[in-house]
Amino acid sequence: FSAVYSKADYFEHNCHHQGIFSLTDEAQWEGFLERRRSAVLLTGCDITDRSKGQRRAFEIGCLEGYFVKHLQDFGWKAEGLELNAAVATAAAESLGITIHPIGVDDWQPPVNRYDLGCSFHTFEHLRDPRDALSRTHAALKPGGRVLIEVPYDLDELDNPDHLHYYTFESAERMVCDVFGNAETRDDQYRRATGKAVGSLYVFATKS
């Protein structure tokens, strides 16, 4: 498991198909960050709203950390978890953010601390997604939001990196089993090559 995700070149594999070739060229990240902001807004959380005071967030599988940095720029106390230690270390130093170079399996989250937990195209890779959700639920404050993005494209059935394959129904059930509520939204997008990718969001609120 670690052998697949612990190499620095996994960053390239993950980002190049999105048209991103640099960690520091902000122009290349604009579309990526706009999609993330819009996705979080589905949960009812506007990350750009500074009137809420300092809020806390974490991202599971943050890889290059650019969304963590984006949250930080809007006044959030944000941090990430990233199994790829080489990329996590480089991103933390380059962007001035907090990234814990561990997988979610090794994370012992503080209880009732965070306002937002998110994860984008990571849960399909996890050994135990339900355990990751349970840790997320524990970490969130009452009223905190969780947002998860996973692929549902049939082409992903041949992806050897993926341990789980989701439908709208299975993703919603997975989150609802832990949070007691869940909603899904379609998020089909196009890679830099023009290929359409089937992707979905599932989100919930901690009661």
Side-chain angles (χ1 to χ4, degrees):
F1 189 77
S2 296
V4 176
Y5 304 111
S6 61
K7 298 176 182 178
D9 62 3
Y10 195 80
F11 164 76
E12 298 176 0
H13 171 74
N14 182 68
C15 293
H16 286 186
H17 69 74
Q18 301 179 69
I20 298 170
F21 300 91
S22 168
L23 184 63
T24 57
D25 185 353
E26 294 187 7
Q28 293 186 23
W29 290 91
E30 288 178 0
F32 172 91
L33 294 173
E34 172 58 33
R35 288 188 65 245
R36 296 286 191 264
R37 286 197 302 272
S38 298
V40 173
L41 196 58
L42 290 172
T43 73
C45 177
D46 181 357
I47 70 168
T48 68
D49 184 358
R50 296 177 181 268
S51 70
K52 305 292 185 182
Q54 188 177 68
R55 293 174 285 177
R56 291 179 177 270
F58 63 90
E59 182 181 358
I60 296 172
C62 68
L63 202 60
E64 70 294 313
Y66 229 87
F67 187 59
V68 174
K69 174 66 162 57
H70 195 56
L71 287 164
Q72 184 174 284
D73 289 345
F74 283 107
W76 289 70
K77 179 80 171 175
E79 56 198 87
L81 304 178
E82 177 48 54
L83 183 62
N84 188 321
V87 170
T89 300
E93 292 176 354
S94 174
L95 300 177
I97 58 178
T98 299
I99 301 181
H100 307 287
I102 58 173
V104 68
D105 294 352
D106 298 316
W107 185 41
Q108 299 299 323
V111 176
N112 296 335
R113 175 173 290 188
Y114 300 92
D115 302 280
L116 174 67
C118 54
S119 184
F120 304 95
H121 285 267
T122 295
F123 267 63
E124 64 272 19
H125 299 274
L126 299 179
R127 290 192 190 96
D128 191 344
R130 185 184 176 88
D131 178 69
L133 276 172
S134 295
R135 292 171 193 256
T136 296
H137 185 272
L140 290 172
K141 300 175 181 177
R145 282 74 178 267
V146 61
L147 172 73
I148 296 166
E149 183 180 16
V150 291
Y152 68 84
D153 201 304
L154 290 177
D155 288 350
E156 298 298 333
L157 292 172
D158 296 325
N159 190 328
D161 292 348
H162 293 181
L163 304 181
H164 307 277
Y165 304 94
Y166 293 99
T167 63
F168 284 84
E169 293 77 13
S170 66
E172 184 171 320
R173 184 170 58 252
M174 174 182 71
V175 173
C176 192
D177 283 349
V178 175
F179 279 79
N181 67 94
E183 296 182 55
T184 55
R185 293 289 187 278
D186 194 1
D187 179 49
Q188 188 175 100
Y189 66 95
R190 292 189 178 276
R191 292 180 174 171
T193 60
K195 182 182 183 299
V197 177
S199 183
L200 67 89
Y201 295 122
V202 56
F203 50 94
T205 302
K206 180 176 177 178
S207 59

